[in-house]
Amino acid sequence: MPSTLIRQMIQQQGYPELDETTLEPFLVRQEHSVLFFTGDPKQYPESNDVAVILPELAGRFAGRFSVAVVAREAELALQKRFPFSSWPALVFLRGEQYLGAITRVQNWSDYLGEIERLLSADVLHVRGVGIPVVAAGRG
């Protein structure tokens, strides 16, 4: 169950809460989206900080991405699709394609720069259980 602060963010902002059955239908309707993996706020208290920061970031990038919160009971299953290992995480997607993630709490300027980079980044091809494929020896 989300913390009170995370629950308030979901309600006030109208962010959908997604699970394994609702993720795909949400993603196919979005050009860009951000999935908020909160983790257990008791174990990862930074989740509450990100719950305050995320609506501000969404406002700053108005209309450039949609936000959804991953339901706590679906987080571990859905995390296997995206290569991040720290919590909380903001996972950036173009449609259903993975662009990258920002984990833990960052400085405001770092958020702005990284989000701008991710929104224009090439899609990362992810295979298996969340291991990014990296091309070696280009050139």
Side-chain angles (χ1 to χ4, degrees), residues 67-119:
V67 176
V69 178
V70 177
R72 287 278 303 123
E73 63 275 3
E75 283 187 323
L76 292 178
L78 293 178
Q79 185 213 8
K80 292 176 184 174
R81 294 183 53 177
F82 310 109
F84 73 88
S85 58
S86 297
W87 301 78
L90 299 176
V91 171
F92 288 76
L93 300 136
R94 180 178 302 123
E96 299 175 69
Q97 305 285 309
Y98 178 72
L99 299 172
I102 300 173
T103 59
R104 306 186 57 117
V105 172
Q106 304 295 317
N107 292 322
W108 183 254
S109 61
D110 293 338
Y111 274 123
L112 298 180
E114 187 62 5
I115 291 170
E116 193 63 53
R117 185 191 74 74
L118 287 169
L119 291 176

Side-chain angles (χ1 to χ4, degrees), residues 6-71:
I6 293 168
R7 176 68 46 213
Q8 287 174 343
M9 177 202 64
I10 291 168
Q11 292 171 348
Q12 290 173 357
Q13 301 300 321
Y15 295 153
E17 202 168 354
L18 305 177
D19 60 23
E20 295 98 329
T21 61
T22 57
L23 177 66
E24 296 299 327
F26 173 80
L27 293 179
V28 298
R29 294 189 316 268
Q30 312 306 319
E31 181 175 348
H32 287 97
S33 57
V34 175
L35 304 179
F36 181 16
F37 285 77
T38 67
D40 180 356
K42 290 179 183 168
Q43 186 176 359
Y44 304 104
E46 288 179 319
S47 294
N48 288 319
D49 296 330
V50 175
V52 173
I53 296 166
L54 182 54
E56 297 296 323
L57 291 169
R60 179 69 178 254
F61 288 90
R64 294 188 60 197
F65 58 79
S66 300
V67 176
V69 178
V70 177

